[in-house]
Amino acid sequence: MKTIQNNRIGFYAFVLLCFLLGNMKSIYAQNAGGIKNVVLVHGAFVDGSGWQGVYDILTKKGYHVTVTQQPLTSFEADVAAVTRIINQQDGPCILVGHSYGGAVITIAGNNPKVAGLVYIAAHAPDEGESEADNGKKHPSAYTSLIKGADGLDMIDPQRFAADFAGDLPAAKAGFMAMSQMPVADQAFHAIIHNPAWKKKPSWYMVAKADRIINPDLERLYAKRAGSKVIEIAGASHAVFASHPREVATLIVAAATEAASTPSK
């Protein structure tokens, strides 16, 4: 009888040991190699497919990458959609936003699972600001915005390539122009409260030939957030798709450094 009990105790102890070792291995892997979860958030007028180049590079390097598909019907709905994806991560993550997606991650980034923020030619409003108002203070070069009578905005497809994606192959820029996601105009006017970049480390990529967001506004965002900055010469607003290798490199740096960087 004692032999049976001892065998049972030994078995349960073995199971417990395996469980603890498995968890220790997972924790060690996170700390030793940096954060492995990356969430990519698209901006206005496009969907998550533009991230494919970045996704392919990061997944080949062993990162667990999730691409959001927020509806662009309201700022609140977009934050909720991104938060849903963050909550699905099995540990800390790096949250990456392009363009309007930067405003979204500025709020969604308050989630405790977010260890760092990466802005790719993106808005990063401060307390009480909106990206629409900031755009007026630092005007952009494009004039192709079409405001629909239904409250949804888009970019004139005939001018999309020149204004949004000047450094992409014509065929790819053309496809993006004709597969646009209309955006609720009110989303651009959402007032930001409790911006996450005030508490968490951030990285920023400035697109030096951006016509949608003034590069000087991008630099202002990066400077006041205390972001680590890289500037890409000749890059259009579509830098997330046209320069996937540089974008992926910045994300890897964030994932590596955020694991040992304390919150502000």
Side-chain angles (χ1 to χ4, degrees):
M1 190 70 177
K2 287 184 178 180
T3 301
I4 294 175
Q5 290 177 339
N6 288 339
N7 286 342
R8 285 179 177 173
I9 293 172
F11 172 75
Y12 291 133
F14 175 75
V15 171
L16 178 60
L17 179 62
C18 289
F19 175 78
L20 291 174
L21 287 175
N23 280 351
M24 288 176 65
K25 183 177 180 182
S26 175
I27 293 170
Y28 176 78
Q30 278 285 5
N31 292 336
I35 294 165
K36 295 301 182 184
N37 296 318
V38 176
V39 176
L40 303 176
V41 181
H42 66 81
F45 313 115
V46 296
D47 66 7
S49 63
W51 287 113
Q52 185 169 0
V54 174
Y55 173 91
D56 289 344
I57 294 170
L58 291 177
T59 53
K60 286 179 182 177
K61 290 181 178 292
Y63 289 89
H64 173 255
V65 185
T66 308
V67 181
T68 67
Q69 292 285 13
Q70 66 268 27
L72 304 182
T73 51
S74 74
F75 184 74
E76 294 75 16
D78 293 338
V79 170
V82 172
T83 298
R84 187 179 304 115
I85 298 300
I86 296 171
N87 288 336
Q88 293 173 5
Q89 305 305 302
D90 62 1
C93 68
I94 297 298
L95 188 58
V96 185
H98 169 252
S99 187
Y100 159 74
V104 175
I105 73 169
T106 294
I107 296 301
N110 286 302
N111 190 298
K113 285 191 174 183
V114 176
L117 305 164
V118 180
Y119 291 90
I120 307 297
H123 286 284
D126 200 349
E127 178 71 29
E129 294 179 350
S130 72
E131 66 171 78
D133 287 340
N134 288 344
K136 293 175 183 176
K137 298 173 185 175
H138 301 270
S140 53
Y142 85 114
T143 57
S144 53
L145 184 68
I146 298 175
K147 292 193 173 187
D150 58 358
L152 299 177
D153 299 347
M154 65 181 297
I155 293 177
D156 182 349
Q158 302 304 314
R159 300 163 67 187
F160 184 96
D163 278 345
F164 193 102
D167 58 345
L168 279 175
K172 189 168 185 178
F175 176 81
M176 291 177 75
M178 301 310 295
S179 60
Q180 286 185 67
M181 291 180 65
V183 186
D185 186 78
Q186 63 175 333
F188 299 132
H189 298 271
I191 302 299
I192 297 299
H193 297 292
N194 192 25
W197 54 258
K198 286 194 170 183
K199 305 171 187 174
K200 301 186 179 183
S202 62
W203 291 256
Y204 201 107
M205 177 174 285
V206 174
K208 295 182 73 173
D210 199 331
R211 292 179 56 81
I212 301 295
I213 301 178
N214 189 321
D216 285 337
L217 178 56
E218 296 177 7
R219 294 183 181 103
L220 181 151
Y221 283 143
K223 181 178 181 179
R224 70 183 185 184
S227 305
K228 294 186 178 181
V229 186
I230 182 173
E231 298 200 6
I232 305 298
S236 74
H237 191 59
V239 62
F240 74 115
S242 61
H243 289 77
R245 190 162 301 281
E246 291 90 336
V247 172
T249 297
L250 184 62
I251 294 171
V252 168
T256 302
E257 296 168 19
S260 59
T261 302
S263 297
K264 300 176 183 178

